mmCIF file of all heavy atoms in Angstrom:
data_model
loop_
_atom_site.group_PDB
_atom_site.id
_atom_site.type_symbol
_atom_site.label_atom_id
_atom_site.label_comp_id
_atom_site.label_asym_id
_atom_site.label_seq_id
_atom_site.Cartn_x
_atom_site.Cartn_y
_atom_site.Cartn_z
ATOM 1 N N ARG A 1150 57.227 22.560 18.794
ATOM 2 C CA ARG A 1150 56.211 23.616 18.884
ATOM 3 C C ARG A 1150 55.843 24.241 17.455
ATOM 4 O O ARG A 1150 54.671 24.478 17.177
ATOM 5 C CB ARG A 1150 56.802 24.732 19.774
ATOM 6 C CG ARG A 1150 55.765 25.898 20.078
ATOM 7 C CD ARG A 1150 56.303 26.838 21.108
ATOM 8 N NE ARG A 1150 55.221 27.883 21.280
ATOM 9 C CZ ARG A 1150 54.332 27.830 22.135
ATOM 10 N NH1 ARG A 1150 53.989 26.732 22.702
ATOM 11 N NH2 ARG A 1150 53.502 28.777 22.374
ATOM 12 N N GLN A 1151 56.958 24.365 16.574
ATOM 13 C CA GLN A 1151 56.597 24.848 15.220
ATOM 14 C C GLN A 1151 55.753 23.891 14.493
ATOM 15 O O GLN A 1151 54.830 24.271 13.752
ATOM 16 C CB GLN A 1151 57.942 25.086 14.497
ATOM 17 C CG GLN A 1151 58.714 26.305 14.945
ATOM 18 C CD GLN A 1151 60.074 26.509 14.397
ATOM 19 O OE1 GLN A 1151 60.728 25.524 14.119
ATOM 20 N NE2 GLN A 1151 60.491 27.758 14.186
ATOM 21 N N LYS A 1152 56.079 22.525 14.538
ATOM 22 C CA LYS A 1152 55.293 21.486 13.944
ATOM 23 C C LYS A 1152 53.791 21.678 14.453
ATOM 24 O O LYS A 1152 52.838 21.456 13.572
ATOM 25 C CB LYS A 1152 55.851 20.098 14.229
ATOM 26 C CG LYS A 1152 57.094 19.863 13.373
ATOM 27 C CD LYS A 1152 57.577 18.458 13.652
ATOM 28 C CE LYS A 1152 58.963 18.187 12.979
ATOM 29 N NZ LYS A 1152 59.465 16.853 13.436
ATOM 30 N N THR A 1153 53.640 21.788 15.680
ATOM 31 C CA THR A 1153 52.315 21.809 16.201
ATOM 32 C C THR A 1153 51.534 23.091 15.614
ATOM 33 O O THR A 1153 50.314 22.978 15.328
ATOM 34 C CB THR A 1153 52.375 21.954 17.768
ATOM 35 O OG1 THR A 1153 53.081 20.834 18.265
ATOM 36 C CG2 THR A 1153 50.967 21.890 18.425
ATOM 37 N N LEU A 1154 52.235 24.284 15.578
ATOM 38 C CA LEU A 1154 51.567 25.398 15.095
ATOM 39 C C LEU A 1154 51.133 25.281 13.643
ATOM 40 O O LEU A 1154 50.039 25.585 13.207
ATOM 41 C CB LEU A 1154 52.600 26.611 15.235
ATOM 42 C CG LEU A 1154 52.600 27.336 16.454
ATOM 43 C CD1 LEU A 1154 53.819 28.260 16.459
ATOM 44 C CD2 LEU A 1154 51.363 28.178 16.698
ATOM 45 N N ILE A 1155 52.066 24.578 12.778
ATOM 46 C CA ILE A 1155 51.729 24.309 11.435
ATOM 47 C C ILE A 1155 50.463 23.474 11.295
ATOM 48 O O ILE A 1155 49.655 23.783 10.512
ATOM 49 C CB ILE A 1155 53.016 23.745 10.646
ATOM 50 C CG1 ILE A 1155 54.044 24.906 10.566
ATOM 51 C CG2 ILE A 1155 52.581 23.364 9.260
ATOM 52 C CD1 ILE A 1155 55.375 24.378 10.189
ATOM 53 N N THR A 1156 50.491 22.295 11.985
ATOM 54 C CA THR A 1156 49.367 21.502 11.906
ATOM 55 C C THR A 1156 48.105 21.964 12.400
ATOM 56 O O THR A 1156 47.002 21.875 11.811
ATOM 57 C CB THR A 1156 49.560 20.172 12.931
ATOM 58 O OG1 THR A 1156 50.901 20.018 13.235
ATOM 59 C CG2 THR A 1156 49.145 18.903 12.251
ATOM 60 N N THR A 1157 48.197 23.021 13.445
ATOM 61 C CA THR A 1157 46.944 23.591 13.955
ATOM 62 C C THR A 1157 46.475 24.624 12.897
ATOM 63 O O THR A 1157 45.219 24.648 12.582
ATOM 64 C CB THR A 1157 47.348 24.500 15.253
ATOM 65 O OG1 THR A 1157 47.925 23.576 16.087
ATOM 66 C CG2 THR A 1157 46.101 25.118 15.759
ATOM 67 N N VAL A 1158 47.352 25.305 12.168
ATOM 68 C CA VAL A 1158 46.872 26.271 11.167
ATOM 69 C C VAL A 1158 46.195 25.490 10.027
ATOM 70 O O VAL A 1158 45.196 25.908 9.440
ATOM 71 C CB VAL A 1158 48.133 26.990 10.617
ATOM 72 C CG1 VAL A 1158 47.847 27.855 9.296
ATOM 73 C CG2 VAL A 1158 48.524 28.077 11.722
ATOM 74 N N CYS A 1159 46.864 24.363 9.594
ATOM 75 C CA CYS A 1159 46.303 23.465 8.408
ATOM 76 C C CYS A 1159 44.867 22.966 8.797
ATOM 77 O O CYS A 1159 43.970 23.002 8.040
ATOM 78 C CB CYS A 1159 47.218 22.286 8.113
ATOM 79 S SG CYS A 1159 48.756 22.837 7.446
ATOM 80 N N ALA A 1160 44.736 22.429 10.015
ATOM 81 C CA ALA A 1160 43.380 22.001 10.503
ATOM 82 C C ALA A 1160 42.440 23.085 10.530
ATOM 83 O O ALA A 1160 41.192 22.940 10.060
ATOM 84 C CB ALA A 1160 43.484 21.379 11.859
ATOM 85 N N ALA A 1161 42.865 24.291 10.989
ATOM 86 C CA ALA A 1161 41.920 25.435 11.114
ATOM 87 C C ALA A 1161 41.501 25.942 9.728
ATOM 88 O O ALA A 1161 40.349 26.270 9.453
ATOM 89 C CB ALA A 1161 42.587 26.614 11.920
ATOM 90 N N LEU A 1162 42.486 25.856 8.818
ATOM 91 C CA LEU A 1162 42.191 26.323 7.338
ATOM 92 C C LEU A 1162 41.188 25.372 6.663
ATOM 93 O O LEU A 1162 40.341 25.800 5.930
ATOM 94 C CB LEU A 1162 43.487 26.292 6.500
ATOM 95 C CG LEU A 1162 44.406 27.575 6.836
ATOM 96 C CD1 LEU A 1162 45.743 27.411 6.140
ATOM 97 C CD2 LEU A 1162 43.657 28.875 6.456
ATOM 98 N N LEU A 1163 41.347 24.004 6.985
ATOM 99 C CA LEU A 1163 40.410 23.084 6.390
ATOM 100 C C LEU A 1163 39.011 23.289 6.895
ATOM 101 O O LEU A 1163 38.073 23.280 6.021
ATOM 102 C CB LEU A 1163 40.818 21.656 6.818
ATOM 103 C CG LEU A 1163 39.788 20.491 6.440
ATOM 104 C CD1 LEU A 1163 39.716 20.313 4.957
ATOM 105 C CD2 LEU A 1163 40.313 19.155 7.121
ATOM 106 N N LEU A 1164 38.876 23.609 8.195
ATOM 107 C CA LEU A 1164 37.509 23.839 8.702
ATOM 108 C C LEU A 1164 36.990 25.102 8.134
ATOM 109 O O LEU A 1164 35.808 25.278 7.769
ATOM 110 C CB LEU A 1164 37.599 23.892 10.302
ATOM 111 C CG LEU A 1164 38.012 22.660 10.878
ATOM 112 C CD1 LEU A 1164 38.320 22.875 12.421
ATOM 113 C CD2 LEU A 1164 37.102 21.579 10.766
ATOM 114 N N ILE A 1165 37.823 26.228 7.977
ATOM 115 C CA ILE A 1165 37.323 27.499 7.420
ATOM 116 C C ILE A 1165 36.874 27.301 6.020
ATOM 117 O O ILE A 1165 35.919 27.853 5.513
ATOM 118 C CB ILE A 1165 38.494 28.494 7.632
ATOM 119 C CG1 ILE A 1165 38.640 28.945 9.033
ATOM 120 C CG2 ILE A 1165 38.066 29.873 6.741
ATOM 121 C CD1 ILE A 1165 39.903 29.646 9.293
ATOM 122 N N ALA A 1166 37.665 26.486 5.327
ATOM 123 C CA ALA A 1166 37.339 26.141 3.841
ATOM 124 C C ALA A 1166 36.018 25.494 3.704
ATOM 125 O O ALA A 1166 35.278 25.853 2.767
ATOM 126 C CB ALA A 1166 38.439 25.255 3.203
ATOM 127 N N VAL A 1167 35.602 24.655 4.557
ATOM 128 C CA VAL A 1167 34.370 23.874 4.463
ATOM 129 C C VAL A 1167 33.145 24.899 4.800
ATOM 130 O O VAL A 1167 32.255 24.899 4.024
ATOM 131 C CB VAL A 1167 34.431 22.813 5.536
ATOM 132 C CG1 VAL A 1167 32.912 22.217 5.688
ATOM 133 C CG2 VAL A 1167 35.207 21.673 5.128
ATOM 134 N N ILE A 1168 33.337 25.735 5.738
ATOM 135 C CA ILE A 1168 32.332 26.713 6.066
ATOM 136 C C ILE A 1168 32.252 27.758 4.936
ATOM 137 O O ILE A 1168 30.984 27.988 4.555
ATOM 138 C CB ILE A 1168 32.646 27.462 7.555
ATOM 139 C CG1 ILE A 1168 32.613 26.362 8.629
ATOM 140 C CG2 ILE A 1168 31.627 28.567 7.723
ATOM 141 C CD1 ILE A 1168 33.194 26.833 9.897
ATOM 142 N N ALA A 1169 33.286 28.221 4.517
ATOM 143 C CA ALA A 1169 33.148 29.234 3.451
ATOM 144 C C ALA A 1169 32.625 28.582 2.121
ATOM 145 O O ALA A 1169 31.786 29.280 1.443
ATOM 146 C CB ALA A 1169 34.666 29.737 3.144
ATOM 147 N N SER A 1170 32.975 27.381 1.749
ATOM 148 C CA SER A 1170 32.515 26.644 0.592
ATOM 149 C C SER A 1170 30.959 26.536 0.622
ATOM 150 O O SER A 1170 30.211 26.706 -0.211
ATOM 151 C CB SER A 1170 33.107 25.303 0.427
ATOM 152 O OG SER A 1170 34.443 25.423 0.270
ATOM 153 N N ALA A 1171 30.470 26.126 1.942
ATOM 154 C CA ALA A 1171 29.077 25.995 2.163
ATOM 155 C C ALA A 1171 28.282 27.264 1.967
ATOM 156 O O ALA A 1171 27.169 27.299 1.417
ATOM 157 C CB ALA A 1171 28.727 25.472 3.529
ATOM 158 N N LEU A 1172 28.776 28.408 2.316
ATOM 159 C CA LEU A 1172 28.198 29.687 2.035
ATOM 160 C C LEU A 1172 28.181 30.088 0.640
ATOM 161 O O LEU A 1172 27.279 30.781 0.225
ATOM 162 C CB LEU A 1172 28.938 30.730 2.918
ATOM 163 C CG LEU A 1172 28.912 30.607 4.481
ATOM 164 C CD1 LEU A 1172 29.816 31.620 5.101
ATOM 165 C CD2 LEU A 1172 27.474 30.837 5.023
ATOM 166 N N LEU A 1173 29.179 29.632 -0.202
ATOM 167 C CA LEU A 1173 29.366 30.056 -1.527
ATOM 168 C C LEU A 1173 28.472 29.177 -2.480
ATOM 169 O O LEU A 1173 28.109 29.571 -3.501
ATOM 170 C CB LEU A 1173 30.790 29.964 -2.031
ATOM 171 C CG LEU A 1173 31.694 31.074 -1.251
ATOM 172 C CD1 LEU A 1173 33.193 30.700 -1.744
ATOM 173 C CD2 LEU A 1173 31.354 32.414 -1.720
ATOM 174 N N ILE A 1174 28.191 27.975 -1.969
ATOM 175 C CA ILE A 1174 27.491 27.026 -2.773
ATOM 176 C C ILE A 1174 25.892 27.405 -2.843
ATOM 177 O O ILE A 1174 25.324 27.616 -1.804
ATOM 178 C CB ILE A 1174 27.529 25.550 -2.282
ATOM 179 C CG1 ILE A 1174 29.030 25.019 -2.581
ATOM 180 C CG2 ILE A 1174 26.519 24.632 -2.979
ATOM 181 C CD1 ILE A 1174 29.245 23.662 -1.925
ATOM 182 N N GLY A 1175 25.456 27.663 -4.028
ATOM 183 C CA GLY A 1175 23.967 28.096 -4.125
ATOM 184 C C GLY A 1175 23.080 26.874 -4.150
ATOM 185 O O GLY A 1175 23.453 25.702 -4.158
ATOM 186 N N ASP A 1176 21.714 27.252 -3.899
ATOM 187 C CA ASP A 1176 20.778 26.113 -3.753
ATOM 188 C C ASP A 1176 20.600 25.393 -5.007
ATOM 189 O O ASP A 1176 20.124 24.212 -4.954
ATOM 190 C CB ASP A 1176 19.356 26.615 -3.250
ATOM 191 C CG ASP A 1176 19.523 27.183 -1.820
ATOM 192 O OD1 ASP A 1176 20.295 26.662 -1.029
ATOM 193 O OD2 ASP A 1176 18.530 28.111 -1.439
ATOM 194 N N GLU A 1177 20.916 25.938 -6.219
ATOM 195 C CA GLU A 1177 20.858 25.244 -7.512
ATOM 196 C C GLU A 1177 21.698 24.010 -7.532
ATOM 197 O O GLU A 1177 21.381 23.078 -8.282
ATOM 198 C CB GLU A 1177 21.066 26.301 -8.670
ATOM 199 C CG GLU A 1177 22.451 26.659 -8.801
ATOM 200 C CD GLU A 1177 22.988 27.759 -7.866
ATOM 201 O OE1 GLU A 1177 21.990 28.349 -7.146
ATOM 202 O OE2 GLU A 1177 24.138 28.212 -7.948
ATOM 203 N N ARG A 1178 22.840 24.025 -6.794
ATOM 204 C CA ARG A 1178 23.760 22.877 -6.838
ATOM 205 C C ARG A 1178 23.174 21.657 -6.185
ATOM 206 O O ARG A 1178 23.558 20.473 -6.386
ATOM 207 C CB ARG A 1178 25.105 23.281 -6.102
ATOM 208 C CG ARG A 1178 25.889 24.292 -6.827
ATOM 209 C CD ARG A 1178 26.558 23.721 -8.101
ATOM 210 N NE ARG A 1178 27.261 22.485 -7.909
ATOM 211 C CZ ARG A 1178 28.642 22.462 -7.420
ATOM 212 N NH1 ARG A 1178 29.256 23.625 -7.280
ATOM 213 N NH2 ARG A 1178 29.195 21.310 -7.241
ATOM 214 N N ILE A 1179 22.204 21.802 -5.147
ATOM 215 C CA ILE A 1179 21.605 20.656 -4.478
ATOM 216 C C ILE A 1179 20.144 20.534 -4.994
ATOM 217 O O ILE A 1179 19.311 19.876 -4.281
ATOM 218 C CB ILE A 1179 21.625 20.841 -3.028
ATOM 219 C CG1 ILE A 1179 21.214 22.149 -2.453
ATOM 220 C CG2 ILE A 1179 23.173 20.608 -2.572
ATOM 221 C CD1 ILE A 1179 21.102 22.252 -0.941
ATOM 222 N N ALA A 1180 19.725 21.152 -6.104
ATOM 223 C CA ALA A 1180 18.344 21.038 -6.679
ATOM 224 C C ALA A 1180 18.284 19.781 -7.374
ATOM 225 O O ALA A 1180 19.229 19.164 -7.883
ATOM 226 C CB ALA A 1180 18.118 22.189 -7.510
ATOM 227 N N THR A 1181 17.028 19.138 -7.464
ATOM 228 C CA THR A 1181 16.753 17.961 -8.218
ATOM 229 C C THR A 1181 17.053 18.192 -9.692
ATOM 230 O O THR A 1181 16.567 19.171 -10.282
ATOM 231 C CB THR A 1181 15.279 17.565 -7.938
ATOM 232 O OG1 THR A 1181 15.070 17.373 -6.523
ATOM 233 C CG2 THR A 1181 14.954 16.300 -8.670
ATOM 234 N N ASN A 1182 17.671 17.208 -10.265
ATOM 235 C CA ASN A 1182 17.941 17.151 -11.726
ATOM 236 C C ASN A 1182 17.980 15.715 -12.174
ATOM 237 O O ASN A 1182 19.006 15.060 -12.186
ATOM 238 C CB ASN A 1182 19.276 17.897 -12.063
ATOM 239 C CG ASN A 1182 19.422 18.043 -13.574
ATOM 240 O OD1 ASN A 1182 18.655 17.547 -14.394
ATOM 241 N ND2 ASN A 1182 20.537 18.732 -13.934
#
């Protein structure tokens, strides 16, 4: 059960990190250069 909880938290943190990173990345990072 503890292993399951740790894996669940890690998976949830990965998903939160992706969403947070997308919000922090400005449009200039995907602009043409």
